[in-house]
Amino acid sequence: MCGIVATVGAGNGVPVLVEGLRRLEYRGYDSCGIAVVQQGKLQRSRTTARVAELKTQTEALTGGLGIAHTRWATHGKPDTQNAHPHCSGELIAVVHNGIIENYEDLRHRLRAMGYVFNSETDTEVIAHLVHMAYTLPDTNSAGDLLASVRAAVAELHGAYAIAVMAADQPDLLIGARAGSPLVVAQSEGMHYLASDALAVAGAAVQMAFLDEGDLVALTGTGLHIEDRHGQTVTRPWQPVQALSMAVELGPYQHYMQKEIFEQPTAVADTLDELLHIDASMFGREAGAHFEAIDSVLILACGTSYYSGCTAKYWLESLAGLPCQVEVASEYRYRETVPNPRALVVVISQSGETADTLAALRHAQSLGHTHTLTICNVATSAMVRETALAFITRAGVEIGVASTKAFTTQLVALYLLTLTLAKQRGRLDAAQETEAIHQLRHLPQALNAVLALEPQIIAWSTAFACCENALFLGRGLHYPIALEGALKLKEISYIHAEAYPAGELKHGPLALVTEAMPVVVVAPNDALLEKLKSNMQEVRARGGQLYVFADADSHIVNSDGIAVIRMPEHYGPLSPILHVVPLQLLAYHTACARGTDVDKPRNLAKSVTVE
């Protein structure tokens, strides 16, 4: 969601701050800003425009100590007054990711003490709390910035990652985290804080992830980390990967288009070490965990939730295991009947999704010990907090609307299904060989689907004129219809809904008119004839059908029915192929409507607050 970059050291940190914000643009934002200590004074620049405009505004700023932020509005409208950094007087400046739940009580108390608030945000209370602890002579933290931040965060309820600086200490940067990720990094003569390692990948040479409750004090040449109990600790350092090439747009018009076309490579990379189906793919202790389970509970949000819904069909039909899929943000707030023998699978592109992390911790509090993360970031909080993990190799995904992360999640979930099926005696050697062959062929099959792009572009011109669309699928492909509708909503702003095709007569058919395009996912499976009957129901009401059909499905172009033929039927792996044309349809429709494809309004890439 929001992004933090901060620097301290001998050099001019402003170029690093600007470049860091540019790298974080993929997370989504509606304002951005920078503050530096320049000649002993706080200098600040903020805008509701893009980072490119902020770069122009800050050309005259210099300073080794600086903090910067991209904001996605939660408390207060997206305007300059609410943009970060926030200041308390001309002394303290703060940037913050997260949500402070008790900010109203704190604001009331601080106002009674004479503090003036210039924004509607929850963040401004942090700046004033630090200022109060730092300046009041009768406090133990007076003049000690680290102690002042420690005192301030002790009063906060909620989630936060913060970077704090004071105008009178130009070589000191303080960071703290609870519930939101924060990375410390270093290069010669400089230290950095960031919410995402990508932000400092071009400047830093090594980095460390702060743990929950950590505080850190950084200078240009040294650092001090203490844990939530105030004990001095160290965190393991690791090299900063050279990620800059991964975020270059290359010949593509948008990152989303680039990432759609990177899916064959992402899938191939995720399958790179696959020689046979073995529990060790999920961790050294996976075999023991898998032996102990009798069901699966999947927790996820958004697109990741739809990957879990797809996996439910695989797990129950192929592995013979009962599977429940829960929206993470709902699961943690309802009374459930915990089963300690369930395998809890959390799915997240970033591994930092706040609702999914909270759901995982809730499940653990109920006695669930068999836990697995499927994630694209090996160093994320979810990976660190589960017993097992499978790391997809989608690479950096910049576009807010997830594409290659979704298909690699499906690959991981299919591998999990095969592993559990083998462990339960439901996958013999011949079936294992055939499954591996099919998986190995997936990248080639995906390339064949991507070749359909010109036909999909032709469809997109018709969709661009619509304000509503209906998506239909059956069985294993119903979650793919849901994902297709989500993609169209996210980036084209066309209202789209998905239904199991058999539900048409139970309500959605009332919406069907000539103005309502109906997209049908039509693989040649056991439900095809049922699906054809559902399509006739649409045609009888004048609806316009747009069908993605397998080559041997015998669905042909006719009046009111437009058909794009998929290259081949792919059995249980068919959802991985069928989602790609839905991604392309959403993308080209959004292009035709002129929306901001990579940064859709009101949305963020990494949802790190509730």
Side-chain angles (χ1 to χ4, degrees):
M1 193 166 277
C2 304
I4 288 174
V5 194
T7 66
V8 61
N12 178 20
V14 174
V16 175
L17 296 173
V18 172
E19 174 61 16
L21 293 186
R22 187 188 70 81
R23 288 166 175 258
L24 293 178
E25 285 188 291
Y26 79 96
R27 297 166 72 101
Y29 67 105
D30 43 45
S31 62
C32 54
I34 286 176
V36 299
V37 175
Q38 184 172 323
Q39 297 179 344
K41 294 184 178 181
L42 288 180
Q43 302 290 341
R44 179 174 58 164
S45 181
R46 300 177 293 173
T47 181
T48 55
R50 292 300 185 193
V51 171
E53 173 61 25
L54 184 67
K55 180 179 181 180
T56 301
Q57 290 181 197
T58 57
E59 289 177 350
L61 291 185
T62 60
L65 176 63
I67 57 179
H69 192 266
T70 52
R71 176 180 186 252
W72 190 84
T74 54
H75 295 72
K77 57 185 177 291
D79 61 16
T80 304
Q81 283 294 106
N82 290 325
H84 296 219
H86 288 288
C87 297
S88 184
E90 297 181 357
L91 182 61
I92 302 295
V94 175
V95 290
H96 163 230
N97 288 358
I99 290 178
I100 306 305
E101 295 172 355
N102 61 331
Y103 83 101
E104 290 181 333
D105 291 340
L106 293 171
R107 182 188 286 252
H108 180 75
R109 192 180 105 212
L110 287 162
R111 276 182 170 154
M113 298 177 66
Y115 281 95
V116 176
F117 284 80
N118 298 305
S119 78
E120 303 167 284
T121 68
D122 55 338
T123 301
E124 197 173 357
V125 301
I126 304 174
H128 292 323
L129 285 172
V130 173
H131 184 279
M132 179 177 66
Y134 190 64
T135 58
L136 289 182
D138 58 345
T139 61
N140 294 330
S141 56
D144 184 336
L145 189 59
L146 177 60
S148 298
V149 173
R150 187 188 303 121
V153 299
E155 299 199 51
L156 304 179
H157 300 162
Y160 58 81
I162 60 173
V164 184
M165 64 183 190
D168 62 349
Q169 297 208 44
D171 190 39
L172 180 61
L173 174 66
I174 307 296
R177 67 148 297 191
S180 289
L182 196 62
V183 175
V184 59
Q186 65 181 15
S187 62
E188 187 175 352
M190 295 289 286
H191 275 101
Y192 312 91
L193 286 173
S195 52
D196 187 325
L198 178 64
V200 293
V205 294
Q206 60 178 354
M207 64 180 184
F209 289 88
L210 297 178
D211 280 3
E212 186 78 358
D214 280 358
L215 278 86
V216 60
L218 302 169
T219 66
T221 56
L223 78 160
H224 163 83
I225 304 175
E226 59 182 54
D227 64 16
R228 68 179 73 195
H229 306 295
Q231 300 298 311
T232 299
V233 294
T234 59
R235 299 300 178 207
W237 292 94
Q238 57 187 280
V240 177
Q241 297 178 357
L243 298 172
S244 57
M245 288 304 294
V247 300
E248 297 302 325
L249 190 56
Y252 297 98
Q253 186 177 357
H254 298 95
Y255 284 109
M256 183 179 177
Q257 184 187 29
K258 175 177 182 280
E259 287 152 12
I260 290 170
F261 277 83
E262 286 175 342
Q263 286 176 115
T265 300
V267 167
D269 289 345
T270 299
L271 294 168
D272 184 50
E273 297 176 7
L274 178 65
L275 299 175
H276 55 275
I277 303 301
D278 189 85
S280 62
M281 292 185 290
F282 300 90
R284 284 181 294 181
E285 300 176 359
H289 282 280
F290 292 167
E291 287 284 354
I293 67 168
D294 63 5
S295 59
V296 179
L297 169 62
I298 297 176
L299 305 172
C301 299
T303 287
S304 296
Y305 170 73
Y306 294 145
S307 71
C309 291
T310 307
K312 175 182 173 72
Y313 287 88
W314 288 333
L315 286 161
E316 295 194 344
S317 64
L318 301 179
L321 277 168
C323 179
Q324 183 178 359
V325 188
E326 297 257 9
V327 175
S329 58
E330 292 293 318
Y331 168 78
R332 60 183 289 209
Y333 291 117
R334 74 178 187 89
E335 292 186 12
T336 59
V337 181
N339 173 15
R341 295 194 64 192
L343 174 66
V344 176
V345 181
V346 288
I347 311 171
S348 168
Q349 184 272 332
S350 67
E352 304 286 351
T353 306
D355 286 313
T356 309
L357 261 176
L360 167 64
R361 292 164 183 164
H362 177 65
Q364 290 169 328
S365 75
L366 297 176
H368 288 284
T369 58
H370 309 300
T371 56
L372 165 67
T373 293
I374 292 175
C375 176
N376 196 42
V377 182
T379 52
S380 64
M382 277 182 213
V383 172
R384 297 196 299 270
E385 294 185 25
T386 51
L388 309 172
F390 185 97
I391 309 302
T392 59
R393 297 182 182 177
V396 177
E397 190 177 64
I398 303 297
V400 167
S402 182
T403 52
K404 61 179 180 173
F406 178 71
T407 48
T408 53
Q409 286 171 358
L410 290 176
V411 168
L413 289 161
Y414 193 71
L415 288 172
L416 175 64
T417 299
L418 295 176
T419 302
L420 294 173
K422 183 177 180 180
Q423 192 138 6
R424 294 168 63 82
R426 296 171 64 99
L427 185 76
D428 61 28
Q431 291 169 320
E432 178 179 350
T433 299
E434 176 60 22
I436 291 173
H437 172 74
Q438 285 188 320
L439 285 164
R440 288 291 187 190
H441 182 62
L442 259 181
Q444 181 180 339
L446 285 166
N447 276 317
V449 175
L450 289 167
L452 299 173
E453 186 180 33
Q455 298 176 58
I456 296 169
I457 292 173
W459 280 12
S460 69
T461 56
F463 274 76
C465 302
C466 300
E467 294 302 325
N468 301 280
L470 195 62
F471 286 68
L472 302 178
R474 295 206 72 151
L476 185 61
H477 292 80
Y478 167 49
I480 299 306
L482 286 166
E483 173 63 8
L486 176 63
K487 284 291 158 285
L488 192 66
K489 278 185 280 198
E490 283 181 309
I491 61 170
S492 75
Y493 314 145
I494 293 172
H495 173 251
E497 298 295 337
Y499 287 89
E503 284 293 291
L504 267 174
K505 291 190 290 292
H506 298 280
L509 202 57
L511 297 173
V512 173
T513 68
E514 292 182 0
M516 171 76 81
V518 179
V519 181
V520 183
V521 182
N524 189 9
D525 59 14
L527 290 170
L528 179 61
E529 294 307 316
K530 297 287 187 183
L531 185 63
K532 287 180 179 178
S533 297
N534 301 141
M535 290 167 54
Q536 290 304 316
E537 293 169 356
V538 172
R539 282 301 302 130
R541 275 77 181 178
Q544 303 295 306
L545 289 162
Y546 294 82
V547 186
F548 292 103
D550 286 344
D552 52 357
S553 63
H554 305 293
I555 300 174
V556 297
N557 284 288
S558 60
D559 182 39
I561 303 179
V563 180
I564 290 179
R565 299 204 175 281
M566 299 288 286
E568 57 185 305
H569 179 57
Y570 221 59
L573 287 173
S574 175
I576 299 175
L577 298 185
H578 269 276
V579 76
V580 175
L582 301 183
Q583 294 169 347
L584 286 168
L585 178 62
Y587 170 73
H588 286 291
T589 301
C591 289
R593 288 169 69 94
T595 63
D596 192 343
V597 172
D598 288 330
K599 305 181 188 72
R601 67 189 183 203
N602 305 333
L603 299 181
K605 182 65 178 173
S606 300
V607 185
T608 54
V609 296
E610 185 178 353

